[in-house]
Amino acid sequence: MANHNNKGWRRVVRAFGYSMKGLKDCFEFEEAFRQEVFLLIPLIPLGLWLGETPVERAMLIGSLLIVPIVELLNSAIEANVDRVGLEKHELSGRAKDIASAAVFSSIAFCLVIWILILVPKVL
C-alpha cells in the first residue's frame, strides 16, 4: 500500500525501487518482454549508427523504446485481470485483447518509423 509518510528523496528512492522490481518481475515472468529487451540490444546501436541527424536517432531509438513500455503496461493489465479471476469472462478477454492490440500498435509504429527513415536512404 502507499505510504503517505514518504516525502522528498525517500519517496523518490522507494519509487525507484518499486520500478526496478517491476522491471525485474516483468523480465522474469513475461517472455514477450524478454524478447523485446534482447532485440533492443543490437537495435539501439544500429539506430544510433543509421540515424544521420539527432532527430533521426531520437526517432529510431524512441520508437524502439515505446515497445517495451507498452509491453509493461500490457503485462500489468494481464496480471490484474488474472488476479481478479482465471475463469473466462468476456470483459477479461476484451481487456487482454485491447492491451495486446496496444503492443501490436507500438510495434507497427516502430516499423513505420524505421521504414520512413531508412528506405529513402536505400532508394
PDB file of all heavy atoms in Angstrom, residues 7-26:
ATOM      1  N   LYS A   7       8.152  11.233   1.916  1.00  0.00           N
ATOM      2  CA  LYS A   7       8.182  12.514   1.213  1.00  0.00           C
ATOM      3  C   LYS A   7       9.609  12.781   0.765  1.00  0.00           C
ATOM      4  O   LYS A   7      10.553  12.172   1.259  1.00  0.00           O
ATOM      5  CB  LYS A   7       7.688  13.634   2.128  1.00  0.00           C
ATOM      6  CG  LYS A   7       6.217  13.502   2.500  1.00  0.00           C
ATOM      7  CD  LYS A   7       5.770  14.722   3.271  1.00  0.00           C
ATOM      8  CE  LYS A   7       4.376  14.834   3.645  1.00  0.00           C
ATOM      9  NZ  LYS A   7       3.441  13.865   3.756  1.00  0.00           N
ATOM     10  N   GLY A   8       9.752  13.684  -0.186  1.00  0.00           N
ATOM     11  CA  GLY A   8      11.076  14.097  -0.638  1.00  0.00           C
ATOM     12  C   GLY A   8      11.860  12.956  -1.267  1.00  0.00           C
ATOM     13  O   GLY A   8      11.317  12.138  -2.012  1.00  0.00           O
ATOM     14  N   TRP A   9      13.149  12.919  -0.933  1.00  0.00           N
ATOM     15  CA  TRP A   9      14.044  11.930  -1.537  1.00  0.00           C
ATOM     16  C   TRP A   9      13.694  10.501  -1.144  1.00  0.00           C
ATOM     17  O   TRP A   9      13.888   9.568  -1.918  1.00  0.00           O
ATOM     18  CB  TRP A   9      15.497  12.233  -1.178  1.00  0.00           C
ATOM     19  CG  TRP A   9      16.010  13.383  -1.986  1.00  0.00           C
ATOM     20  CD1 TRP A   9      16.244  14.651  -1.546  1.00  0.00           C
ATOM     21  CD2 TRP A   9      16.299  13.376  -3.376  1.00  0.00           C
ATOM     22  NE1 TRP A   9      16.671  15.441  -2.581  1.00  0.00           N
ATOM     23  CE2 TRP A   9      16.714  14.671  -3.728  1.00  0.00           C
ATOM     24  CE3 TRP A   9      16.244  12.418  -4.374  1.00  0.00           C
ATOM     25  CZ2 TRP A   9      17.070  15.027  -5.024  1.00  0.00           C
ATOM     26  CZ3 TRP A   9      16.606  12.759  -5.664  1.00  0.00           C
ATOM     27  CH2 TRP A   9      17.008  14.049  -5.969  1.00  0.00           C
ATOM     28  N   ARG A  10      13.174  10.305   0.048  1.00  0.00           N
ATOM     29  CA  ARG A  10      12.789   8.948   0.478  1.00  0.00           C
ATOM     30  C   ARG A  10      11.712   8.384  -0.460  1.00  0.00           C
ATOM     31  O   ARG A  10      11.760   7.229  -0.856  1.00  0.00           O
ATOM     32  CB  ARG A  10      12.287   8.967   1.914  1.00  0.00           C
ATOM     33  CG  ARG A  10      11.843   7.574   2.373  1.00  0.00           C
ATOM     34  CD  ARG A  10      11.515   7.566   3.818  1.00  0.00           C
ATOM     35  NE  ARG A  10      12.792   7.595   4.529  1.00  0.00           N
ATOM     36  CZ  ARG A  10      12.920   7.703   5.821  1.00  0.00           C
ATOM     37  NH1 ARG A  10      11.850   7.829   6.576  1.00  0.00           N
ATOM     38  NH2 ARG A  10      14.092   7.713   6.393  1.00  0.00           N
ATOM     39  N   ARG A  11      10.740   9.224  -0.812  1.00  0.00           N
ATOM     40  CA  ARG A  11       9.697   8.782  -1.738  1.00  0.00           C
ATOM     41  C   ARG A  11      10.290   8.448  -3.098  1.00  0.00           C
ATOM     42  O   ARG A  11       9.957   7.440  -3.711  1.00  0.00           O
ATOM     43  CB  ARG A  11       8.614   9.847  -1.890  1.00  0.00           C
ATOM     44  CG  ARG A  11       7.399   9.346  -2.682  1.00  0.00           C
ATOM     45  CD  ARG A  11       6.551  10.483  -3.219  1.00  0.00           C
ATOM     46  NE  ARG A  11       7.244  11.294  -4.191  1.00  0.00           N
ATOM     47  CZ  ARG A  11       7.447  10.925  -5.462  1.00  0.00           C
ATOM     48  NH1 ARG A  11       7.052   9.770  -5.903  1.00  0.00           N
ATOM     49  NH2 ARG A  11       8.074  11.734  -6.292  1.00  0.00           N
ATOM     50  N   VAL A  12      11.211   9.289  -3.587  1.00  0.00           N
ATOM     51  CA  VAL A  12      11.842   9.066  -4.893  1.00  0.00           C
ATOM     52  C   VAL A  12      12.628   7.756  -4.881  1.00  0.00           C
ATOM     53  O   VAL A  12      12.532   6.950  -5.817  1.00  0.00           O
ATOM     54  CB  VAL A  12      12.753  10.262  -5.266  1.00  0.00           C
ATOM     55  CG1 VAL A  12      13.563   9.961  -6.512  1.00  0.00           C
ATOM     56  CG2 VAL A  12      11.919  11.529  -5.450  1.00  0.00           C
ATOM     57  N   VAL A  13      13.384   7.524  -3.824  1.00  0.00           N
ATOM     58  CA  VAL A  13      14.182   6.297  -3.723  1.00  0.00           C
ATOM     59  C   VAL A  13      13.281   5.074  -3.688  1.00  0.00           C
ATOM     60  O   VAL A  13      13.540   4.075  -4.367  1.00  0.00           O
ATOM     61  CB  VAL A  13      15.118   6.356  -2.488  1.00  0.00           C
ATOM     62  CG1 VAL A  13      15.764   5.010  -2.221  1.00  0.00           C
ATOM     63  CG2 VAL A  13      16.180   7.431  -2.699  1.00  0.00           C
ATOM     64  N   ARG A  14      12.228   5.133  -2.901  1.00  0.00           N
ATOM     65  CA  ARG A  14      11.302   3.984  -2.830  1.00  0.00           C
ATOM     66  C   ARG A  14      10.603   3.761  -4.163  1.00  0.00           C
ATOM     67  O   ARG A  14      10.423   2.629  -4.593  1.00  0.00           O
ATOM     68  CB  ARG A  14      10.297   4.178  -1.709  1.00  0.00           C
ATOM     69  CG  ARG A  14      10.954   3.993  -0.369  1.00  0.00           C
ATOM     70  CD  ARG A  14       9.950   3.839   0.713  1.00  0.00           C
ATOM     71  NE  ARG A  14      10.684   3.659   1.954  1.00  0.00           N
ATOM     72  CZ  ARG A  14      10.252   2.962   2.957  1.00  0.00           C
ATOM     73  NH1 ARG A  14       9.081   2.380   2.890  1.00  0.00           N
ATOM     74  NH2 ARG A  14      10.977   2.841   4.038  1.00  0.00           N
ATOM     75  N   ALA A  15      10.192   4.832  -4.817  1.00  0.00           N
ATOM     76  CA  ALA A  15       9.534   4.704  -6.118  1.00  0.00           C
ATOM     77  C   ALA A  15      10.489   4.068  -7.128  1.00  0.00           C
ATOM     78  O   ALA A  15      10.084   3.209  -7.923  1.00  0.00           O
ATOM     79  CB  ALA A  15       9.058   6.073  -6.619  1.00  0.00           C
ATOM     80  N   PHE A  16      11.751   4.466  -7.088  1.00  0.00           N
ATOM     81  CA  PHE A  16      12.754   3.874  -7.974  1.00  0.00           C
ATOM     82  C   PHE A  16      12.878   2.373  -7.690  1.00  0.00           C
ATOM     83  O   PHE A  16      12.943   1.558  -8.614  1.00  0.00           O
ATOM     84  CB  PHE A  16      14.108   4.570  -7.789  1.00  0.00           C
ATOM     85  CG  PHE A  16      15.189   3.978  -8.637  1.00  0.00           C
ATOM     86  CD1 PHE A  16      15.281   4.288  -9.992  1.00  0.00           C
ATOM     87  CD2 PHE A  16      16.120   3.106  -8.095  1.00  0.00           C
ATOM     88  CE1 PHE A  16      16.282   3.733 -10.778  1.00  0.00           C
ATOM     89  CE2 PHE A  16      17.124   2.547  -8.874  1.00  0.00           C
ATOM     90  CZ  PHE A  16      17.199   2.860 -10.210  1.00  0.00           C
ATOM     91  N   GLY A  17      12.905   2.008  -6.419  1.00  0.00           N
ATOM     92  CA  GLY A  17      12.987   0.590  -6.052  1.00  0.00           C
ATOM     93  C   GLY A  17      11.793  -0.198  -6.564  1.00  0.00           C
ATOM     94  O   GLY A  17      11.954  -1.315  -7.076  1.00  0.00           O
ATOM     95  N   TYR A  18      10.597   0.363  -6.445  1.00  0.00           N
ATOM     96  CA  TYR A  18       9.404  -0.320  -6.955  1.00  0.00           C
ATOM     97  C   TYR A  18       9.476  -0.470  -8.476  1.00  0.00           C
ATOM     98  O   TYR A  18       9.098  -1.500  -9.026  1.00  0.00           O
ATOM     99  CB  TYR A  18       8.129   0.443  -6.574  1.00  0.00           C
ATOM    100  CG  TYR A  18       7.889   0.539  -5.085  1.00  0.00           C
ATOM    101  CD1 TYR A  18       7.391   1.703  -4.527  1.00  0.00           C
ATOM    102  CD2 TYR A  18       8.151  -0.531  -4.236  1.00  0.00           C
ATOM    103  CE1 TYR A  18       7.157   1.804  -3.163  1.00  0.00           C
ATOM    104  CE2 TYR A  18       7.916  -0.442  -2.863  1.00  0.00           C
ATOM    105  CZ  TYR A  18       7.429   0.730  -2.341  1.00  0.00           C
ATOM    106  OH  TYR A  18       7.202   0.819  -0.990  1.00  0.00           O
ATOM    107  N   SER A  19       9.974   0.555  -9.145  1.00  0.00           N
ATOM    108  CA  SER A  19      10.104   0.492 -10.607  1.00  0.00           C
ATOM    109  C   SER A  19      11.087  -0.596 -11.016  1.00  0.00           C
ATOM    110  O   SER A  19      10.838  -1.358 -11.966  1.00  0.00           O
ATOM    111  CB  SER A  19      10.559   1.843 -11.160  1.00  0.00           C
ATOM    112  OG  SER A  19       9.596   2.830 -10.910  1.00  0.00           O
ATOM    113  N   MET A  20      12.219  -0.687 -10.317  1.00  0.00           N
ATOM    114  CA  MET A  20      13.209  -1.725 -10.640  1.00  0.00           C
ATOM    115  C   MET A  20      12.645  -3.119 -10.371  1.00  0.00           C
ATOM    116  O   MET A  20      12.884  -4.053 -11.134  1.00  0.00           O
ATOM    117  CB  MET A  20      14.496  -1.517  -9.844  1.00  0.00           C
ATOM    118  CG  MET A  20      15.269  -0.258 -10.227  1.00  0.00           C
ATOM    119  SD  MET A  20      15.709  -0.215 -11.977  1.00  0.00           S
ATOM    120  CE  MET A  20      14.502   0.930 -12.612  1.00  0.00           C
ATOM    121  N   LYS A  21      11.853  -3.248  -9.305  1.00  0.00           N
ATOM    122  CA  LYS A  21      11.206  -4.534  -9.015  1.00  0.00           C
ATOM    123  C   LYS A  21      10.230  -4.890 -10.130  1.00  0.00           C
ATOM    124  O   LYS A  21      10.159  -6.040 -10.566  1.00  0.00           O
ATOM    125  CB  LYS A  21      10.491  -4.500  -7.669  1.00  0.00           C
ATOM    126  CG  LYS A  21       9.860  -5.841  -7.303  1.00  0.00           C
ATOM    127  CD  LYS A  21       9.153  -5.778  -5.974  1.00  0.00           C
ATOM    128  CE  LYS A  21       8.531  -7.083  -5.546  1.00  0.00           C
ATOM    129  NZ  LYS A  21       8.018  -7.957  -6.561  1.00  0.00           N
ATOM    130  N   GLY A  22       9.485  -3.910 -10.624  1.00  0.00           N
ATOM    131  CA  GLY A  22       8.555  -4.148 -11.727  1.00  0.00           C
ATOM    132  C   GLY A  22       9.268  -4.586 -12.991  1.00  0.00           C
ATOM    133  O   GLY A  22       8.832  -5.518 -13.675  1.00  0.00           O
ATOM    134  N   LEU A  23      10.389  -3.927 -13.312  1.00  0.00           N
ATOM    135  CA  LEU A  23      11.172  -4.326 -14.492  1.00  0.00           C
ATOM    136  C   LEU A  23      11.705  -5.746 -14.331  1.00  0.00           C
ATOM    137  O   LEU A  23      11.632  -6.561 -15.257  1.00  0.00           O
ATOM    138  CB  LEU A  23      12.332  -3.356 -14.715  1.00  0.00           C
ATOM    139  CG  LEU A  23      11.971  -2.008 -15.320  1.00  0.00           C
ATOM    140  CD1 LEU A  23      13.167  -1.066 -15.257  1.00  0.00           C
ATOM    141  CD2 LEU A  23      11.486  -2.168 -16.747  1.00  0.00           C
ATOM    142  N   LYS A  24      12.220  -6.045 -13.147  1.00  0.00           N
ATOM    143  CA  LYS A  24      12.765  -7.384 -12.873  1.00  0.00           C
ATOM    144  C   LYS A  24      11.674  -8.440 -12.990  1.00  0.00           C
ATOM    145  O   LYS A  24      11.869  -9.479 -13.622  1.00  0.00           O
ATOM    146  CB  LYS A  24      13.407  -7.419 -11.488  1.00  0.00           C
ATOM    147  CG  LYS A  24      13.948  -8.776 -11.081  1.00  0.00           C
ATOM    148  CD  LYS A  24      14.405  -8.747  -9.623  1.00  0.00           C
ATOM    149  CE  LYS A  24      14.550 -10.116  -9.038  1.00  0.00           C
ATOM    150  NZ  LYS A  24      13.311 -10.810  -8.783  1.00  0.00           N
ATOM    151  N   ASP A  25      10.522  -8.175 -12.380  1.00  0.00           N
ATOM    152  CA  ASP A  25       9.428  -9.133 -12.419  1.00  0.00           C
ATOM    153  C   ASP A  25       8.931  -9.352 -13.847  1.00  0.00           C
ATOM    154  O   ASP A  25       8.666 -10.488 -14.252  1.00  0.00           O
ATOM    155  CB  ASP A  25       8.264  -8.671 -11.534  1.00  0.00           C
ATOM    156  CG  ASP A  25       8.566  -8.803 -10.051  1.00  0.00           C
ATOM    157  OD1 ASP A  25       9.585  -9.445  -9.687  1.00  0.00           O
ATOM    158  OD2 ASP A  25       7.788  -8.251  -9.245  1.00  0.00           O
ATOM    159  N   CYS A  26       8.804  -8.282 -14.598  1.00  0.00           N
ATOM    160  CA  CYS A  26       8.330  -8.420 -15.978  1.00  0.00           C
ATOM    161  C   CYS A  26       9.343  -9.207 -16.798  1.00  0.00           C
ATOM    162  O   CYS A  26       8.977 -10.084 -17.580  1.00  0.00           O
ATOM    163  CB  CYS A  26       8.070  -7.045 -16.595  1.00  0.00           C
ATOM    164  SG  CYS A  26       7.030  -7.125 -18.070  1.00  0.00           S
TER     165      CYS A  26
END
